[in-house]
Amino acid sequence: MTSTTTSDTTAHSGSALELDDIQAGVLMPRPNPYAGAYWGLRIDDRSAGRELLRRLIPLLEPVSSYNPDRPVSLGVALSYAGLEQLGVPQASLATFPPAFQQGMAARAAQLGDVGENAPENWERPLGSKDLHVVVVALARDTALMESLVTLTGDALRELPAVAPVWYLDVHVPADGREQFGFKDSISQPSVAGTGILGSNPHEAPLKAGEFILGYQDETGKVSPMPQPDTLGRNGTYVAFRKLHQRVAAFRRYLQQSAVDRTEQELLAAKMVGRWPSGAPLALAPDKDDPELGGDPSRNNAFLYGDDPRGLKCPLGAHARRMNARDSNINGLVRLHRMIRRGTNYGPSLAPGVLEDDGADRGLMFAFVGAHLDRQFEFVQHEWVSDGTFIGTDEKDPLVAMNEQGQFTIPMRPIRRRLKALPSFVVNRGGEYCFAPGLRALRWLANLDT
Ligand code: HEM
């Protein structure tokens, strides 16, 4: 395990975090660069499903023995339909929170998944009852992906009642940039008790119960968790979303809105809240600073308190909306934090190309947190799709469903207002999953119902 200390192991959680039981991928930072894959599996028979888990468990690593040099690693999560298929007793299923029980498609209204983002337009089997297990596999490079395919292939051998129903290759390039060209996954919360250093030295570690079930959270309580305790404890929720990115449309919009390349870059940075290198506008308001962007000790070391009007970083910029830090907004930022595990999928669009080539490319967004409703759903509904919390009716300019949207950029002497914003991101589907602790996976694998 990297950079761990023991000093804060119990400080915020009330009890020591069981790092030897939590799946490594939940808390440990990802290698960089890396290649990966998502496998979606359908369980047609409960005993085959349990056998699958028995085969997968030895391949999983807990946080405590995570080895960043290990060439490949796996994570496993189950949908509510998957838990039903495994034969989890009804009394236990009923203890999962309503959002998880219903699944992402049924929560479309809460998530603003309407129009082209509506579940009826999703890629199947996303949003159906056929996605039961999601296996996420990571390798440090594409060459190693073969061993991953073998690993998971072995797990499925002679198990005809477990059907692979969905697959997606993902990757994070060496420069860490997502498809619009901006370095991503810079800002992550620090979780008390893990010893993993946070990326923002101005943010006190969040209590473990925000991210792992069975521990005290920021409300000062241990929130109810799925029962029995063996099942819930050390688990967490994962929200996957396959977000298609309209890269050519994004570039064309910038070109049409700016007089030259320099202005295009500025407008794009104002929409994101960071420059392509990752340098935050809060620290580099006028131009990109690749040295700052590439320095993990500085590129997330900032607050917004000295920029109340958003002259450096607009209040409506994607990154500022998603984590307003110390800005004076309506609401408590610490109750809506999340761990993100986003990866690119599809080929990148060559630099300078302004016409769509028809390829499916985007971000496989993955939220990790203990509270689907007050973390993921709240942020998606209130902060992505509504601007009331910062006193405007503008949505997220980068990732919201925008039809003729607008985005205000405070500037001196007069503000700039971008109009007729289209949607640059389309949701192709997703699901809510539960990533159990290792003990819980063994419990599931050995159910005798
Ligand atoms: C295709 C869609 C998306 C793209 C291209 C994208 C891109 C980015 C980029 C470039 C950053 C700045 C780098 C960083 O701080 O890590 C960022 C930050 C962030 N994004 Fe997104 N994002 C997308 C969707 C989402 C969604 C759907 C959510 C939540 C529902 C989200 C939540 C966040 C959060 C929490 C941060 C960190 C803000 C901070 O702590 O400063 N993103 N995103």
Side-chain angles (χ1 to χ4, degrees), residues 176-189 199-200 203 241-245 272-276 278 299-300 302 304 318-325 336-340 344 362-365 367 375-381 383-384 396 398-400 424-426:
R177 295 191 186 192
E178 49 71 43
Q179 302 275 14
F180 292 139
F182 290 80
K183 186 167 169 155
D184 198 4
S185 285
I186 299 170
S187 178
Q188 299 284 6
S199 55
N200 178 3
E203 183 179 59
R241 262 161 111 73
K242 186 182 176 196
L243 299 177
H244 170 75
Q245 290 175 254
V272 175
R274 289 183 184 267
W275 297 93
N299 64 13
N300 204 33
F302 65 90
Y304 294 115
H318 172 64
R320 186 163 178 172
R321 307 171 72 100
M322 297 297 93
N323 177 11
R325 303 185 186 215
H336 312 295
R337 302 285 286 121
M338 63 181 73
I339 295 175
R340 286 171 302 138
N344 296 0
L363 182 92
M364 186 60 187
F365 174 85
F367 151 98
Q375 293 173 325
F376 173 68
E377 291 193 340
F378 178 91
V379 171
Q380 181 65 36
H381 189 264
W383 292 353
V384 170
D396 189 311
L398 192 72
V399 310
F424 299 119
V425 170
V426 185

Side-chain angles (χ1 to χ4, degrees), residues 83-98:
L83 295 175
E84 282 181 320
Q85 285 301 98
L86 280 173
V88 173
Q90 190 52 44
S92 172
L93 290 170
T95 59
F96 280 86

Side-chain angles (χ1 to χ4, degrees), residues 78-84 88-103 213 224-233 235-237 370 372-373 432-437 440 443-444:
L78 298 122
S79 66
Y80 182 77
L83 295 175
E84 282 181 320
V88 173
Q90 190 52 44
S92 172
L93 290 170
T95 59
F96 280 86
F100 175 74
Q101 289 189 31
Q102 290 162 20
L213 294 164
M225 61 177 167
Q227 292 300 308
D229 272 13
T230 318
L231 174 62
R233 194 169 172 81
T236 189
Y237 297 101
L372 283 170
D373 49 358
Y432 290 152
C433 289
F434 174 60
W443 183 87
L444 288 165

Side-chain angles (χ1 to χ4, degrees), residues 249-262:
F250 180 66
R251 291 179 186 169
R252 279 200 307 275
Y253 182 83
L254 291 167
Q255 197 191 45
Q256 286 154 13
S257 309
V259 290
D260 57 21
R261 227 188 139 66
T262 309

Side-chain angles (χ1 to χ4, degrees), residues 6 67 69 216 275 328 446:
T6 48
N67 174 1
D69 296 325
Q216 203 182 93
W275 297 93
N328 185 16
N446 293 307

